[in-house]
Amino acid sequence: MMDLKENFIQLCLPFSKDESLINHFWHEIETKYSEKSRHYHDLLHLENMFRELDSVKDRIKNFTAVSFAVFYHDIIYNASSKSNEEKSASYAESRLGNLGLPQDLISKITTQIIATKTHQKAEDTDTNYLLDADLSILGKDPEVYLDYTRKIRKEYFIYPDLLYKPGRKKVLKHFLELESVFKTDEFRGKYELKSKKNMAEELKIL
């Protein structure tokens, strides 16, 4: 996880030289994403998102904003809550304000975080890259996708199958009914067909 920590520190240094504050905020991130209730929305998820975004870095206009959005988009994650994204955006706003980021940059970051709630195509292309990186797991090889579904089920352990399965089916059908799961040409070309096949296969066994 040292790469994530170093990434975060380097992101913050242009705005604040207070190393103790930066380290404190990193510790918060590390602690939140390492909660026992997290099986998928953890530090590994962040690593995977950065790996995906690095491959299209030259297409992203404000990589700083997108990077902060990655770190904070799931900082608050409660399987029984419907306002995780709004709470995460608010959390990010308070931390980034203390780091000295300008308000327009903070607004861009919080808007991107809230966009991960519905995954609707945005006018801002950077946001679309963030959304596609967030959903890239859907287009991975079948065994990786299956592992992801098991981890998601663990995060929703508080719900019995009677409630979980209809909810999961609704989510999958929503994505399958979209004209395109992915918003950018790069991710669409790489993951679109595999993602729809993976989700269709999951639907069969629910």
Side-chain angles (χ1 to χ4, degrees), residues 135-146 148-149 168 172-173 175-182 188 190-206:
L135 292 183
S136 60
I137 188 70
L138 300 179
K140 299 293 185 179
D141 290 340
E143 61 272 18
V144 177
Y145 180 84
L146 186 60
Y148 148 75
T149 64
R168 182 67 181 170
L172 293 173
K173 286 177 180 176
F175 281 120
L176 285 169
E177 287 166 4
L178 292 174
E179 183 180 340
S180 177
V181 175
F182 295 95
R188 197 179 300 118
K190 196 159 53 167
Y191 294 131
E192 187 72 22
L193 293 177
K194 284 168 73 174
S195 72
K196 290 194 170 177
K197 185 176 181 181
N198 282 334
M199 289 188 284
E201 288 299 316
E202 184 185 356
L203 264 179
K204 290 178 186 176
I205 61 173
L206 280 173

Side-chain angles (χ1 to χ4, degrees), residues 25 28-33 35 38 70-77 84 87-89 91-92 113:
F25 287 164
E28 286 184 338
I29 291 169
E30 189 176 37
T31 301
K32 290 284 188 182
Y33 283 93
E35 290 168 342
R38 296 185 186 234
V70 171
F71 277 116
Y72 282 101
H73 81 289
D74 285 327
I75 191 93
I76 304 296
Y77 188 79
N84 288 321
K87 289 175 181 175
S88 293
Y91 191 104
I113 291 170

Side-chain angles (χ1 to χ4, degrees), residues 31-45:
T31 301
K32 290 284 188 182
Y33 283 93
S34 301
E35 290 168 342
K36 287 184 179 179
S37 59
R38 296 185 186 234
H39 300 275
Y40 173 71
H41 293 91
D42 54 12
L43 292 169
L44 189 60
H45 173 52

Side-chain angles (χ1 to χ4, degrees), residues 85 110-120 122 127 130-131:
E85 293 80 7
T110 55
T111 298
Q112 289 175 346
I113 291 170
I114 291 171
T116 64
K117 186 182 184 79
T118 59
H119 281 91
Q120 296 296 314
T127 301
L130 173 75
L131 299 178

Side-chain angles (χ1 to χ4, degrees), residues 11-23:
L11 264 183
C12 296
L13 284 175
F15 306 101
S16 173
K17 303 303 180 190
D18 187 339
E19 292 184 16
S20 65
L21 182 68
I22 294 170
N23 279 308

Side-chain angles (χ1 to χ4, degrees), residues 53 59-63 65-66 108 112 123-131:
L53 290 166
R59 307 291 180 92
I60 296 173
K61 296 169 188 171
N62 192 330
F63 202 74
V66 172
K108 183 186 286 285
Q112 289 175 346
E123 289 184 15
D124 175 56
T125 55
D126 282 5
T127 301
N128 290 329
Y129 281 115
L130 173 75
L131 299 178

